[in-house]
């Protein structure tokens, strides 16, 4: 799948979820929970976990300082991911996602001849504050925003002697939904956009190099939800 179509898929998924939420909200708000449903919700733990399969689809953009027309590209991956959610209220929750992957870094544009520049492993814990829409029955959509801190480790050079991508903060936006099969078990679909631009340094033949790697990944995942 091309990067353009992958990006369009993520945007379309997010737009679809928001549209569905907007359409069902007026009718749903007119249907209050029954006493039995309220009692069941009140008895739930504030803790929830999800296990997802996650597609990490990066933006191909970057530069090498001092080289006009230079660009970078990164490999896409599919990884397992765990998230932990804590509900402060029925509507407000915080979610922490945990997972790790790798990225091959390749030269593009005027430095395309370098081929694969290097490889780094990426650990991007992301914390979002979410708003969960209620009164939709088993369909439970949510939106969120938060912060990401990405750590790069086990880095190695290929076309360069070594490479060091710097750890950095980024912003995160999120939209998704759970469809609950019963009080505890459900299925989940989730889309996140991470705004991530990291500085890097490298050496080639003893000469220092530097630049920026603009990854800005889409995280598109689906999996299983369990509410304690």
């Amino acid at each position: 799948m091309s990067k353009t179509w992958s990006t369009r898929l993520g945007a379309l998924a997010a737009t679809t979820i928001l549209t569905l939420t907007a359409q069902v909200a007026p009718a749903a708000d007119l249907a209050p929970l029954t006493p039995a449903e309220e009692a069941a919700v009140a008895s739930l733990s504030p803790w929830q976990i999800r296990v997802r399969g996650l597609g990490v689809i990066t933006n191909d953009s970057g530069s090498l300082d001092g080289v006009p027309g230079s660009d970078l590209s990164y490999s896409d991956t599919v990884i397992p991911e765990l998230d932990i959610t804590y509900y402060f209220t029925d509507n407000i929750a915080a979610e922490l996602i945990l997972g790790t992957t790798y990225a091959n870094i390749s030269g593009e544009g005027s430095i395309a001849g370098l081929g694969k520049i290097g490889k780094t492993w990426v650990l991007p814990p992301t914390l979002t504050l979410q708003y969960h829409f209620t009164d939709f029955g088993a369909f439970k959509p949510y939106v969120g925003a938060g912060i990401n801190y990405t750590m790069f480790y086990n880095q190695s050079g290929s076309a360069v002697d070594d490479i060091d991508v710097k750890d950095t903060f980024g912003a995160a936006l999120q939209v998704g939904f759970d469809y609950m099969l019963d009080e505890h078990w459900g299925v989940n679909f989730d889309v996140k956009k991470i705004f991530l631009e990291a500085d890097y340094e490298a050496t080639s033949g003893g000469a220092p190099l530097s630049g920026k790697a603009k990854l800005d990944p889409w995280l598109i995942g689906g999996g299983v939800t369990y509410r304690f």
Side-chain angles (χ1 to χ4, degrees):
M1 180 183 291
S2 69
K3 292 293 181 66
T4 300
W5 280 107
S6 299
T7 301
R8 288 177 179 175
L9 175 62
L12 179 60
T15 302
T16 301
I17 294 168
L18 288 173
T19 302
L20 288 172
T21 300
Q23 290 176 342
V24 301
D29 289 340
L30 296 176
L33 295 177
T34 67
E37 289 172 334
E38 290 178 347
V41 170
S43 68
L44 291 174
S45 164
W47 293 99
Q48 176 179 277
I49 62 171
R50 299 187 187 94
V51 178
R52 299 188 185 105
L54 191 69
V56 182
I57 304 169
T58 56
N59 177 44
D60 286 338
S61 182
S63 62
L64 179 60
D65 291 342
V67 181
S70 60
D71 204 353
L72 298 173
S73 66
Y74 320 96
S75 57
D76 298 333
T77 55
V78 177
I79 61 169
E81 177 259 331
L82 171 70
D83 82 55
I84 303 168
T85 302
Y86 184 85
Y87 284 83
F88 300 102
T89 70
D90 290 344
N91 300 106
I92 305 299
E95 177 192 89
L96 175 66
I97 71 164
L98 302 169
T100 189
T101 186
Y102 68 88
N104 292 315
I105 307 168
S106 299
E108 301 290 347
S110 61
I111 59 171
L114 293 176
K116 181 180 174 181
I117 294 173
K119 177 180 179 179
T120 180
W121 280 84
V122 184
L123 179 64
T126 302
L127 180 66
T128 60
L129 184 65
Q130 302 172 328
Y131 184 86
H132 290 254
F133 297 91
T134 56
D135 297 337
F136 293 170
F139 177 64
K140 300 184 181 299
Y142 57 85
V143 294
I147 191 168
N148 161 271
Y149 184 71
T150 299
M151 294 169 278
F152 300 90
Y153 66 101
N154 285 358
Q155 304 182 60
S156 59
S158 295
V160 297
D161 299 328
D162 60 66
I163 189 166
D164 179 19
V165 185
K166 306 298 184 181
D167 299 348
T168 188
F169 284 97
L173 296 177
Q174 175 184 34
V175 61
F177 67 86
D178 292 301
Y179 188 86
M180 301 305 295
L181 305 176
D182 59 29
E183 291 180 12
H184 299 286
W185 291 97
V187 294
N188 172 260
F189 179 75
D190 185 271
V191 178
K192 293 183 182 69
K193 177 66 173 180
I194 308 295
F195 298 92
L196 177 61
E197 184 173 347
D199 295 323
Y200 70 88
E201 296 176 351
T203 58
S204 179
L209 304 171
S210 63
K212 288 188 178 294
K214 189 174 182 180
L215 289 87
D216 288 350
W218 286 95
L219 308 182
I220 302 175
V224 178
T225 297
Y226 183 77
R227 179 78 181 265
F228 290 94

